[in-house]
Amino acid sequence: MARDTSDTTPLTSRDELIAWFSDGEKPATRFALGTEHEKIPFYTADRTPVPYEGERGIRALLENLGRETGWEPILDGAHIIGLANNEGGGAISIEPGGQFELSGAPLPDVHASVAELDEHLAATRRAAEPLGIGFLDLGMSPKWTREGTPFMPKSRYRIMRGYMPKVGTLGLDMMLRTATVQVNLDFSSESDMVRKLRVGLALQPVATALFANSPFTDGRPNGFLSRRSEIWRDTDADRTGMFPQAFEDGFGYEQYVDWLLDVPMYFVKRGETYHDVSGASFRDLMEGRLPQLPGERATVSDWANHASTVFPEVRLKRFLEMRGADVGGPAMIAAQTALWAGLLYDESAVSAAWDLVRGWTASEREALRAAVPRLGLAACIGGRSLGAVAAEALTIARAGLQARARRDASGRDEAIYLQPLEAIVAAGRSRAEELLAAYEGEWAKCVDPAFSECTF
């Protein structure tokens, strides 16, 4: 997330919290796609991580990119921590370990998202090359230890770093060493949100398997195809996971708000100061009895910021975020956007996708979520291999994109971007499996070749 929101309007009732979500509803004619991806920077000369400070650090990279793009710097005290495009939307941010993130603008179709990505990568290369910086397109840094990874000077991350070890064993790995790709999608009503949320949650393990791309940790295979996904299973049970409540009868905005109210807070921001209230209750903030800030009451900013600190596999804000995939190269980033646009932005497609998953039980979904980081497409649910489920989901997504009929200058619809995923299903092998084969073969059991072969 590039920038915490700043809206000091007081919040005094649960109904206002519910309305914050419902205000995100849009007519289908205004649906957009927002693609986010992270990439791990490294020094090309010696394959070491990039610190924040120094003549060739992350600060210098952001300053160079700001000059390339003309985007406005985002500051945290004296530190530049991102860039904002105040005209077209979109932003650059840094994750705790220096992962460089593009939060793309809301765009009408996958073609526009791909053009945005191409422009961003070209500008980033121009900014990075004079500094000797390259970027990995892997879902986890393959070589550096957690302790050897730099920590970025961002106030909310300092608070999270202190809290994470209290609620799980792998939260710091998530913060410092992983990289993801997400797509954000709109909804038109509460019922439309619920249906898309359920389909997205149920099929998120399919995305995890298709995009599995984090098989190395600390310089060797880690036993998983998506170690990034497995890390999330021991990060913070209060705010992560498959969110089974979404499948309960009567689920909607109210139930999501009640869950979010019970998730412990990280921080409260007042002015430019982040107050550490980790573990505190938003309900207490609403009532002015937060022990760390007596008498302080909740604002719209507090609610929006709190909503950004939960991490289920699909997250509801004023849009829906699909969160289950490891990052990959440009073609895989485009494929992530195309997959979910195809499944969720055509009425026939979303109905067919719901028919595909509606018979799965909560225990089956949880078992699949647990199995897929290690087994990928070989995992099973409902007596079927996940590879077979993925093939059917891709057929639905292709039909959905063809029905959308959004064409590029050459007359091609968005289904062209599904081809990398269709190739993975046809081969039965994710990129992680290809990389493991390379490690055992031409890489001679060394991960260093990743720094030349797995880059943007």
Side-chain angles (χ1 to χ4, degrees):
M1 183 174 179
R3 175 183 276 169
D4 294 313
T5 60
S6 297
D7 184 337
T8 59
T9 304
L11 290 173
T12 59
S13 72
R14 178 171 169 270
D15 286 345
E16 290 172 317
L17 306 182
I18 294 166
W20 186 84
F21 288 104
S22 64
D23 285 349
E25 295 172 2
K26 295 179 181 177
T29 54
R30 290 180 50 211
F31 282 179
L33 298 163
T35 307
E36 304 180 24
H37 81 275
E38 301 162 359
K39 47 193 171 292
I40 298 168
F42 66 96
Y43 287 126
T44 56
D46 59 7
R47 300 180 291 276
T48 56
V50 181
Y52 181 79
E53 297 290 1
E55 293 181 357
R56 298 189 301 123
I58 295 294
R59 175 197 282 272
L61 176 60
L62 286 167
E63 291 170 346
N64 278 6
L65 188 57
R67 286 188 286 270
E68 285 285 341
T69 61
W71 292 12
E72 175 187 319
I74 301 170
L75 300 176
D76 185 339
H79 298 108
I80 178 172
I81 58 167
L83 301 166
N85 181 355
N86 293 326
E87 295 181 5
I92 303 294
S93 60
I94 50 173
E95 294 298 304
Q99 304 95 316
F100 217 67
E101 179 176 2
L102 170 66
S103 297
L107 297 169
D109 53 47
V110 188
H111 304 304
S113 180
V114 169
E116 175 191 54
L117 175 62
D118 289 345
E119 182 178 350
H120 162 75
L121 291 176
T124 302
R125 288 188 195 101
R126 292 193 298 270
E129 284 175 358
L131 306 177
I133 293 174
F135 297 92
L136 290 165
D137 66 5
L138 296 171
M140 185 170 187
S141 59
K143 187 172 182 177
W144 316 315
T145 65
R146 179 199 296 176
E147 295 74 19
T149 303
F151 195 88
M152 299 297 108
K154 197 169 176 178
S155 297
R156 66 185 276 157
Y157 295 160
R158 173 182 50 79
I159 293 168
M160 291 171 66
R161 179 171 61 174
Y163 184 70
M164 284 291 184
K166 301 175 183 178
V167 292
T169 67
L170 298 176
L172 295 181
D173 285 306
M174 177 278 293
M175 293 176 67
L176 293 166
R177 299 204 283 177
T178 66
T180 187
V181 56
Q182 300 172 195
V183 60
N184 306 324
L185 301 107
D186 293 313
F187 48 85
S188 61
S189 65
E190 184 173 38
S191 61
D192 186 45
M193 179 277 292
V194 171
R195 184 170 59 161
K196 288 173 175 173
L197 178 62
R198 288 172 173 171
V199 169
L201 284 165
L203 288 178
Q204 216 55 220
V206 171
T208 300
L210 288 170
F211 291 85
N213 191 30
S214 49
F216 305 118
T217 306
D218 297 337
R220 58 186 179 273
N222 53 39
F224 295 88
L225 302 178
S226 177
R227 178 63 176 165
R228 183 207 63 83
S229 182
E230 178 67 12
I231 283 169
W232 275 107
R233 296 202 326 116
D234 192 4
T235 289
D236 183 345
D238 288 332
R239 65 186 76 233
T240 64
M242 290 291 283
F243 197 61
Q245 302 95 309
F247 296 86
E248 295 173 358
D249 290 343
F251 177 81
Y253 299 131
E254 290 187 43
Q255 290 74 19
Y256 193 84
V257 163
D258 289 339
W259 171 72
L260 187 55
L261 280 169
D262 288 329
V263 174
M265 298 178 69
Y266 283 155
F267 65 86
V268 171
K269 186 180 181 186
R270 289 293 178 266
E272 296 305 311
T273 301
Y274 288 76
H275 297 273
D276 185 347
V277 300
S278 51
S281 164
F282 200 93
R283 297 179 193 273
D284 287 344
L285 180 61
M286 289 279 289
E287 296 172 10
R289 45 186 182 80
L290 199 66
Q292 298 93 330
L293 293 170
E296 198 68 39
R297 291 183 177 269
T299 68
V300 171
S301 286
D302 296 327
W303 186 236
N305 291 336
H306 184 50
S308 76
T309 67
V310 296
F311 311 107
E313 291 293 284
V314 179
R315 177 164 63 184
L316 173 64
K317 295 203 287 193
R318 287 179 163 176
F319 45 83
L320 289 167
E321 296 178 351
M322 305 293 126
R323 300 179 52 84
D326 292 356
V327 78
M332 292 297 283
I333 293 171
Q336 164 81 344
T337 308
L339 173 66
W340 294 111
L343 289 170
L344 299 181
Y345 271 1
D346 173 72
E347 182 62 28
S348 295
V350 73
S351 294
W354 177 235
D355 287 342
L356 176 61
V357 304
R358 68 191 308 167
W360 298 349
T361 65
S363 60
E364 286 177 324
R365 291 191 300 269
E366 290 293 341
L368 181 64
R369 172 69 183 88
V372 79
R374 190 183 297 274
L375 299 178
L377 294 171
C380 293
I381 186 167
R384 303 179 70 193
S385 75
L386 195 59
V389 174
E392 189 169 346
L394 286 171
T395 297
I396 294 169
R398 176 169 282 277
L401 294 172
Q402 290 171 339
R404 272 168 56 83
R406 305 293 180 91
R407 302 191 180 278
D408 65 9
S410 300
R412 302 174 300 174
D413 65 43
E414 298 161 300
I416 59 172
Y417 302 110
L418 293 177
Q419 291 174 0
L421 304 183
E422 292 166 339
I424 287 169
V425 168
R429 279 163 59 107
S430 64
R431 191 192 190 203
E433 290 163 288
E434 298 288 347
L435 293 175
L436 287 167
Y439 176 87
E440 295 294 334
E442 59 266 33
W443 289 11
K445 296 191 175 182
C446 176
V447 299
D448 285 355
F451 291 88
S452 57
E453 297 185 27
C454 304
T455 61
F456 283 94

